Amino acid sequence: MVVGDVTTGTDLLIIGAGPAGYVAAIRAGQLDLDVTLVEKDAYGGTCLNYGCIPSKALITATDIAHEAGNAEEMGIHADPAIDLAGMVEWKDGVVDQLTSGVEKLCKANQVTLLEGTATFADEHTVRVSHSGEGQGSETLEFENAIVATGSRPIEIPNFEYGDEPVLNSKQALALDAVPDSMVIVGAGYIGMELAGVFAKLGTDVTVIEMLDSILPGYDDDLKRPVKQRANDLGIEFEFGYTASEWHDRDDGDGIQVLAEPAADDSDDERLELDAEKVLVAVGRQPVSDTLALEEAGIETDDRGIIETDSRGRTSAEHIFAAGDVAGEPMLAHKGSMEGKVAAEVIAGEPSAIDHQAMPAVVFTDPEIATVGMTESEAEDDGFETIVGTFPFRASGRALTTGDTDGFVKIVAEESDGYVLGASIVGPEASELIAELGLAVELGATVEDVASTVHAHPTLSESVMEAAENALGHAIHTLNR
Ligand SMILES: Cc1cc2nc3c(=O)[nH]c(=O)nc-3n(C[C@H](O)[C@H](O)[C@H](O)COP(=O)(O)OP(=O)(O)OC[C@H]3O[C@@H](n4cnc5c(N)ncnc54)[C@H](O)[C@@H]3O)c2cc1C
């Protein structure tokens, strides 16, 4: 159908159907707002189509194969064969199920779905151009809007995506054959998660990182077990280097990635690494430059992040921003929370954004999960703290899973015991952190956590034991 230049109206326009935009749309629908959700690519955004879900599907699948092949200690002798095409087909099925669910939920909540690319024409109007030849465009007037256009991978000079064999995370998650070797540029969470996936598939992985350790921003004690497990998997690291260029090898067998020492005064030699593919994972940047934001009076910072207040409002009173485009941390659940708040504020409710109990998870092997403040952040903020820890090697349940690396750490206020934050590295850290997020959110004390009966034998007992340790009466470890 060719769409002519018609003008329609909506109370609330939402641009982008990722976890920020579609969640905002459903919440706004629940609040009886007249909502139009514009999406140019795929419902569910980066998270469902190219990020969280496909990466976690492949992490789980490769973990299963790896664990089955390394369980001699449990009396299991197996040598699993991996059919990557089959694995990718299964992963795509998971994605399809979720994205079609998003579409159905939006429709069931009376959200009008519009496929196309939106750009602002003025403070109350967008143009939506439809993809495909002859599909035309339409004009949409709105009372309020939420910009939820997400982020895209940052490109570095000389490594253009789409220039096979240079891959971004989206392309790496869609490969249909296992590369023999891969250089990964960047040891942040996406680089480290995918390093684990490919190493478990049998790829020789080398990670180049300009800083001197993996996972910048995380405490050393959390990173240690992850680095150790990566070493055990045979992942090589080159710290203090920046990737500068790549070229085909003279013998036609793959490519060579060149990397220079990151420090100007370094005497180290330039690196020349042979590989079949190079995956660039050096961070993500907001998608704000393609929206003609200036037409609507929306301001961004130097990085292109749309600045918002505690209700999600941009510099234009009636326009809100949520998700990656509104800044760090660029995580799906943070975007969904901001989307819900924006929808509720537009509907007249007194909602506000609170990042205090925002969890963050790295799905490496083992997983890292944090919420609230670390010990040093709490001390920098002037809190007198008590700290409780519990190592998984003392957990009966962890021993029965064969996965005992890591620990739970809880930080609380010394005077009244309020839980200020927690960090976990180890099995199921991503699930265990929820209890501690609830503790921070509710203003619970370590006493509350310690006196909550936890089922035995479970990994969650480790949370209770860490709280008991903070109080000096842990049962299964010596108290400090
Ligand atoms: C490999 C990878 C793994 C990840 N793993 C995790 C994880 O485990 N946990 C986690 O919390 N986060 C994870 N993330 C991050 C997560 O995907 C993002 O934080 C999340 O998707 C952000 O949601 P969003 O709604 O802000 O943006 P997006 O999900 O990026 O959605 C934005 C949508 O807007 C659309 N759009 C953009 N411009 C326009 C326009 N002009 N008109 C119409 N539509 C437009 C885009 O097509 C897109 O669909 C991962 C990311 C990657 C890349």
Side-chain angles (χ1 to χ4, degrees):
M1 187 183 74
V2 176
V3 181
D5 196 7
V6 288
T7 301
T8 48
T10 184
D11 287 348
L12 173 57
L13 165 76
I14 300 175
I15 309 175
Y22 87 73
V23 169
I26 291 172
R27 185 71 189 112
Q30 291 169 347
L31 293 165
D32 289 331
L33 295 176
D34 160 43
V35 193
T36 302
L37 177 62
V38 186
E39 170 55 54
K40 70 179 172 68
D41 179 17
Y43 297 113
T46 304
C47 174
L48 267 59
N49 294 283
Y50 318 117
C52 326
I53 297 299
S55 61
K56 266 79 260 183
L58 291 189
I59 285 170
T60 305
T62 50
D63 277 354
I64 289 172
H66 182 75
E67 282 165 23
N70 289 274
E72 284 84 4
E73 219 179 68
M74 292 179 178
I76 299 169
H77 301 272
D79 186 10
I82 291 179
D83 155 23
L84 186 61
M87 201 181 266
V88 168
E89 193 182 327
W90 167 74
K91 177 260 295 178
D92 289 345
V94 173
V95 169
D96 286 349
Q97 199 175 330
L98 287 168
T99 54
S100 64
V102 164
E103 196 173 342
K104 284 187 198 126
L105 280 170
C106 286
K107 287 180 180 159
N109 282 283
Q110 284 76 50
V111 175
T112 304
L113 298 173
L114 191 58
E115 289 175 20
T117 304
T119 42
F120 286 97
D122 65 37
E123 286 172 1
H124 283 280
T125 317
V126 285
R127 303 274 309 159
V128 178
S129 53
H130 303 286
S131 60
E133 215 172 304
Q135 292 299 295
S137 63
E138 62 187 288
T139 301
L140 198 62
E141 290 176 351
F142 61 86
E143 287 293 317
N144 291 102
I146 302 174
V147 181
T149 48
S151 61
R152 64 171 86 89
I154 293 174
E155 245 178 17
I156 53 172
N158 302 325
F159 291 83
E160 269 172 44
Y161 301 130
D163 194 359
E164 191 47 32
V166 180
L167 309 170
N168 58 27
S169 56
K170 173 181 169 181
Q171 294 157 337
L173 289 166
L175 286 176
D176 55 9
V178 180
D180 287 337
S181 53
M182 179 182 275
V183 166
I184 298 182
V185 183
Y189 85 91
I190 293 177
M192 286 304 296
E193 287 183 8
L194 293 180
V197 166
F198 283 102
K200 286 175 187 171
L201 285 171
T203 302
D204 288 333
V205 176
T206 305
V207 180
I208 303 176
E209 166 58 53
M210 64 188 278
L211 301 175
D212 61 2
S213 75
I214 61 168
L215 300 173
Y218 284 90
D219 286 351
D220 286 345
D221 54 352
L222 293 172
K223 298 195 261 198
R224 211 165 291 124
V226 176
K227 177 71 172 36
Q228 183 56 53
R229 194 77 60 94
N231 290 346
D232 295 346
L233 282 169
I235 298 171
E236 305 271 348
F237 290 91
E238 297 290 354
F239 293 112
Y241 282 92
T242 53
S244 52
E245 59 182 286
W246 67 274
H247 54 75
D248 290 324
R249 275 169 44 127
D250 292 342
D251 60 8
D253 189 14
I255 59 167
Q256 198 163 56
V257 178
L258 308 185
E260 311 291 333
D264 290 340
D265 56 356
S266 168
D267 295 330
D268 290 341
E269 299 275 296
R270 176 166 93 162
L271 291 178
E272 298 176 351
L273 301 167
D274 292 338
E276 189 180 325
K277 305 273 183 202
V278 52
L279 162 61
V280 180
V282 294
R284 297 181 62 83
Q285 64 189 42
V287 176
S288 58
D289 50 347
T290 49
L291 290 163
L293 292 176
E294 62 289 352
E295 300 296 332
I298 303 168
E299 285 163 18
T300 67
D301 71 5
D302 299 348
R303 280 181 66 197
I305 287 169
I306 299 179
E307 291 172 304
T308 53
D309 67 12
S310 64
R311 314 218 169 236
R313 267 201 181 87
T314 68
S315 48
E317 270 279 290
H318 61 297
I319 302 179
F320 294 68
D324 286 6
V325 77
E328 302 287 349
M330 290 193 183
L331 295 171
H333 46 273
K334 174 262 194 188
S336 298
M337 186 268 276
E338 290 175 346
K340 281 187 258 190
V341 168
E344 288 168 2
V345 171
I346 291 165
E349 297 201 357
S351 302
I353 294 163
D354 179 6
H355 283 169
Q356 201 195 345
M358 185 68 65
V361 175
V362 185
F363 290 83
T364 40
D365 183 3
E367 296 175 350
I368 293 178
T370 58
V371 70
M373 295 183 203
T374 62
E375 187 178 359
S376 52
E377 282 167 352
E379 282 166 7
D380 289 349
D381 268 22
F383 289 102
E384 299 277 327
T385 59
I386 50 170
V387 173
T389 58
F390 185 77
F392 284 111
R393 65 173 183 278
S395 153
R397 184 64 182 127
L399 279 161
T400 65
T401 67
D403 196 357
T404 54
D405 286 347
F407 57 85
V408 177
K409 181 173 178 180
I410 300 183
V411 181
E413 228 180 318
E414 188 173 26
S415 53
D416 44 27
Y418 287 121
V419 178
L420 297 171
S423 31
I424 305 175
V425 56
E428 305 295 345
S430 56
E431 301 292 340
L432 296 174
I433 201 68
E435 175 180 359
L436 292 157
L438 186 67
V440 175
E441 177 68 30
L442 292 182
T445 64
V446 266
E447 184 79 53
D448 293 326
V449 179
S451 57
T452 301
V453 180
H454 288 66
H456 179 74
T458 59
L459 293 170
S460 69
E461 288 171 294
S462 309
V463 172
M464 174 183 72
E465 291 267 0
E468 287 175 336
N469 179 248
L471 296 166
H473 56 71
I475 302 298
H476 294 94
T477 47
L478 295 177
N479 294 289
R480 55 176 185 171

